[in-house]
């Protein structure tokens, strides 16, 4: 699954690859809040705080009761 690959890449601080994988996950399922979350992480790793926070905000809005974020 693209989201899991993106998360693994983000853990390794591989922002470009994580962003690519997360983008594919969200493209396949725009309602995948975890994909938006990992996309936010990837942007932060890449030094793009504005984009990262926008993605993280989207993830929280999609799943407000998610205890992970």
């Amino acid at each position: 699954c693209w989201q899991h690959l993106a998360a693994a890449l983000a853990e390794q601080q591989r922002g470009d690859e994580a962003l690519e994988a997360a983008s594919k996950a969200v493209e396949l399922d725009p309602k995948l809040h975890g994909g938006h979350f990992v996309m936010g992480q990837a942007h932060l790793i890449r030094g793009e705080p504005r984009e990262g926070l926008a993605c993280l905000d989207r993830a929280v809005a999609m799943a407000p009761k998610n205890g992970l974020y």
Side-chain angles (χ1 to χ4, degrees):
C1 155
W2 288 109
Q3 177 186 335
H4 294 267
L5 175 60
L9 291 165
E11 284 183 30
Q12 297 173 13
Q13 300 296 304
R14 294 166 62 181
D16 293 338
E17 294 165 285
L19 183 59
E20 184 177 332
S23 296
K24 288 181 182 179
V26 170
E27 181 180 320
L28 291 171
D29 184 357
K31 296 180 182 178
L32 186 65
H33 57 87
H36 290 279
F37 180 77
V38 178
M39 190 180 301
Q41 289 179 312
H43 277 296
L44 293 175
I45 291 166
R46 290 167 40 113
E48 301 165 344
R50 185 172 295 135
E51 295 87 345
L53 292 176
C55 292
L56 296 173
D57 285 344
R58 202 167 19 251
V60 170
M62 295 171 91
K65 295 183 180 183
N66 186 314
L68 297 176
Y69 42 86

